[in-house]
Amino acid sequence: MTRRPDVVVAGGGVAGVMAAITARRHGLAVTLVDDNATPGGQVFREPSAFARTVTPPDHERREGDRLRELLRRSGVRVLSGWGIWSVQPGYRLDLSNDFAVQVLEAGSLVAATGAVERFFPFAGWTDPAVMGLAGASLLMRAGGVLPGRRTLVAGAGPLLFSVAHQVLDAGGEVVAIVDTATRTQWAARAATLALDPARLKTGVAWMARLARAGIPVLGGAVIRQARRGEDDLDVTIGSVRGGAPVRSVRCDAIACGYGLKPSLGLTRMLKARHVFDEAAGYWHPHADPFGRTDVAGLYVTGDGAGVRGAQMARLRGILTGHGLAFDHGRIDAATLAHLARPLLRAMRRLEVVSRAMTSLMNPRPAIMKEAEMHAPDTLMCRCERVSIAAGGQAIRDGAGDMNQFKAWTRCGMGPCQGRMCEDSARQLLARHTARAPTEVGAFTQRLPLRPVPVRALSGNFAYADIVLPQAAPP
Amino acid sequence: MGIQPSHAGRGFEAENGKILTQTVIFTFNSRPFTGYRGEILAAALRRGGIVALGVSAVDGTPRGAFCLMGSCQECLVLVGGVPRNACRAVVDDGLCVTSIAPLGGGS
């Protein structure tokens, strides 16, 4: 029997790993729970042995391997392949994998659950050849497989160009890049990007490569429709401002996504205070620089506290580790201040650039409006098959906030737990009711946080094992 | 040459150009596929030309791996009879993978 740890860290990305290692260095007993097979999160996902041989080792791989090695030697207890499906204050965590369940208790809980990709619907987006930008990146970097022979890259934010670059790197073809942001909007951020020369250099190199390869970059554009043909997709592209289609292309894979948003399951379940970031277009838990939320013993670190990218996540993780040490009486205030100072300074430098990128990913209401106008039958809820038109009707019938909308339409009640549709539901509601996104609320988080097999819950028992009360004498 | 990176055979992090992982055989809906031990199922199947992994439980339309990070749940398949996400389950020798039938039966 292992003793109850001081801290449980949920999530094995760079922030979670750094928080765990740092807290451990201060002498705390730390358990890290991660639902991936090996630590690293999404950015530093461990490549398969096959992927290691077919894709060149890059910064992410080297950093990821270093992170995994640090963790291995840290004394942190690591539970890989386990996800949290329920949480109670105090803290009691119910974990599951595909086969079993277990319970974990700790005084402090760090939500380091990172970010998930944000999506908006277009006609044909449930086709199996359509996947997320982050998903396409994971497939290439961790799996060593291209999304398709000819890939269309669509959506918003820097990930568009990163994915296109990865496709080219692996010898694939990029048909086009469809970006909701215009060139003017990118240019407006160029000055800010110059504050981070490394990132600017990478960005410029990517753009130059796309130009050399003659890959069209369509700004201010969205996919209007992807229609399945014999063995590929026929894609119509329109302007975000409406009007006639601007182009039509054929491809056999689409990688799409509208930036990242914090993963909020744990903090929502524990009723931490959340605030809406207008510039980024998402909710995030309210936290101080150490990740302390308004709930005692609950911390949030990394992209889960607001998407800022891997560099920032590392610093936030270390800060949270120091904060935990202070809160558990391992270091005094002066030591904490001394340890925090250089980290906070580095974070202030990164913040400006990270914020500029975040705002480029902010989905504009025009995207949903476009979809509603051109393809009202498009499913906004992929799990429960709720069309945009059905959503609009529910709002006209009186569904006034996110939870009424959910109850009315079943949008958000499927296996994804609303992760895929919450953003489109919020935009639809806000626009139809002419209110701010904050005013329409958010889906109430329900258990389980992730699907848990009944088999895992019930375990192995025979019918005869069920204890039946003795029947009363006649 | 399809969706295998053109780097294949260059042998990054390989010894004498040899891939340091074992090729294994598994089945998907009774069809045999080759994969590399330890890689995620979704990657091995896509390399084998499989894009649709199953159908929507609600309307029966084909669905595939969408988010690849365990969030969308659309790549759920039966691995040895156990429902698992193809973006999480890893390939092993003799693995028997099948699509999940839509609700209310069907083929």
Side-chain angles (χ1 to χ4, degrees):
Chain A
M1 206 56 223
T2 45
R3 70 190 174 94
R4 176 188 154 113
D6 299 308
V7 181
V8 167
V9 176
V14 60
V17 170
M18 291 318 292
I21 292 175
T22 308
R24 179 73 204 111
R25 279 183 187 158
H26 287 295
L28 298 175
V30 183
T31 299
L32 183 131
V33 183
D34 184 32
D35 60 2
N36 279 312
T38 52
Q42 308 306 346
V43 174
F44 301 107
R45 178 85 75 98
E46 181 158 25
S48 70
F50 171 75
R52 281 180 187 277
T53 67
V54 294
T55 53
D58 55 5
H59 167 76
E60 280 75 18
R61 180 180 308 180
R62 282 186 292 266
E63 278 296 292
D65 288 344
R66 208 172 68 87
L67 198 68
R68 283 180 282 275
E69 184 53 30
L70 275 177
L71 182 64
R72 229 178 340 261
R73 288 180 292 147
S74 67
V76 170
R77 182 175 173 235
V78 180
L79 297 174
S80 282
W82 289 88
I84 297 164
W85 68 269
S86 172
V87 59
Q88 287 166 42
Y91 289 92
R92 178 198 144 112
L93 298 154
D94 289 282
L95 316 184
S96 67
N97 61 18
D98 292 331
F99 307 98
V101 294
Q102 63 171 307
V103 176
L104 207 56
E105 288 185 2
S108 299
L109 172 64
V110 180
T113 46
V116 287
E117 199 157 20
R118 185 162 47 189
F119 296 105
F120 287 98
F122 58 84
W125 77 307
T126 56
D127 190 284
V130 180
M131 62 167 56
L133 285 171
S137 174
L138 289 169
L139 195 64
M140 290 185 278
R141 290 190 297 116
V145 184
L146 281 159
R149 290 175 178 81
R150 287 167 296 137
T151 305
L152 178 68
V153 180
L159 206 50
L160 285 174
F161 300 94
S162 163
V163 166
H165 172 73
Q166 288 170 44
V167 170
L168 295 175
D169 242 4
E173 186 188 333
V174 177
V175 173
I177 295 176
V178 181
D179 186 356
T180 53
T182 59
R183 279 187 184 223
T184 322
Q185 285 166 321
W186 275 101
R189 267 84 175 182
T192 316
L193 202 54
L195 294 173
D196 186 344
R199 226 189 297 207
L200 181 64
K201 201 174 141 203
T202 308
V204 169
W206 286 348
M207 300 309 279
R209 187 181 189 182
L210 293 174
R212 267 200 312 276
I215 294 160
V217 179
L218 309 171
V222 285
I223 295 180
R224 206 167 268 177
Q225 183 183 58
R227 204 186 336 213
R228 177 139 287 279
E230 192 88 347
D231 56 7
D232 64 355
L233 295 167
D234 186 0
V235 185
T236 311
I237 297 157
S239 159
V240 287
R241 284 178 297 275
V246 294
R247 194 183 285 238
S248 146
V249 296
R250 299 193 84 94
C251 62
D252 62 359
I254 295 176
C256 65
Y258 290 89
L260 306 170
K261 59 175 177 176
S263 181
L264 302 174
L266 286 173
T267 51
R268 274 184 174 169
M269 205 64 225
L270 292 164
K271 307 247 183 295
R273 186 160 85 87
H274 289 73
V275 289
F276 193 80
D277 184 328
E278 296 281 351
Y282 55 59
W283 291 94
H284 66 87
H286 179 76
D288 74 5
F290 296 98
R292 298 182 186 107
T293 66
D294 63 332
V295 177
L298 176 65
Y299 301 73
V300 59
T301 195
D303 276 352
V307 180
R308 300 289 189 278
Q311 261 184 295
M312 190 79 117
R314 172 184 295 275
L315 300 174
R316 278 172 161 175
I318 300 170
L319 260 184
T320 299
H322 293 322
L324 282 161
F326 174 78
D327 294 346
H328 282 259
R330 298 299 169 120
I331 54 172
D332 60 21
T335 310
L336 179 66
H338 172 74
L339 291 169
R341 204 170 300 123
L343 295 163
L344 290 168
R345 199 180 313 127
M347 281 167 69
R348 272 194 299 276
R349 239 191 352 258
L350 286 172
E351 177 72 6
V352 187
V353 183
S354 300
R355 292 292 291 167
M357 291 300 108
T358 306
S359 64
L360 271 174
M361 296 191 251
N362 190 359
R364 294 180 297 159
I367 302 165
M368 265 309 270
K369 200 172 162 188
E370 260 289 288
E372 190 177 17
M373 185 155 55
H374 293 283
D377 294 336
T378 301
L379 301 185
M380 56 185 290
C381 172
R382 297 167 65 97
C383 302
E384 294 290 333
R385 198 182 161 74
V386 180
S387 68
I388 302 175
Q393 188 57 48
I395 297 165
R396 280 189 296 278
D397 288 344
D401 67 31
M402 289 290 276
N403 288 308
Q404 283 176 359
F405 186 78
K406 181 176 169 184
W408 217 292
T409 61
R410 292 196 62 81
C411 181
M413 287 191 188
C416 89
Q417 286 278 43
R419 280 183 280 260
M420 301 292 124
C421 57
E422 180 164 359
D423 302 282
S424 21
R426 184 171 51 243
Q427 287 218 351
L428 195 73
L429 259 169
R431 188 162 52 77
H432 276 255
T433 61
R435 284 181 298 168
T438 43
E439 290 176 309
V440 298
F443 286 156
T444 301
Q445 183 69 50
R446 301 286 180 200
L447 295 179
L449 292 167
R450 62 182 223 148
V452 50
V454 172
R455 186 191 54 261
L457 284 175
S458 62
N460 288 320
F461 70 89
Y463 193 69
D465 296 336
I466 302 173
V467 182
L468 295 171
Q470 288 283 314
Chain B
M1 94 134 260
I3 60 173
Q4 188 103 316
S6 58
H7 290 299
R10 272 212 228 161
F12 298 103
E13 297 188 26
E15 255 167 32
N16 308 320
K18 280 225 178 72
I19 288 169
L20 299 176
T21 176
Q22 229 177 320
T23 311
V24 294
I25 309 279
F26 68 97
T27 62
F28 177 65
N29 293 338
S30 306
R31 256 183 70 195
F33 287 86
T34 34
Y36 297 95
R37 174 167 288 152
E39 70 174 336
I40 57 164
L41 204 47
L45 284 169
R46 191 160 283 244
R47 190 186 306 112
I50 299 293
V51 176
L53 300 174
V55 294
S56 152
V58 180
D59 66 6
T61 56
R63 298 287 174 95
F66 184 67
C67 78
L68 278 114
M69 48 172 85
S71 158
C72 75
Q73 303 298 324
E74 291 199 21
C75 65
L76 204 69
V77 289
L78 293 175
V79 181
V82 178
R84 306 186 66 189
N85 286 323
C87 71
R88 287 273 160 84
V90 295
V91 169
D92 207 346
D93 207 17
L95 215 61
C96 175
V97 185
T98 50
S99 294
I100 296 175
L103 289 180
S107 50

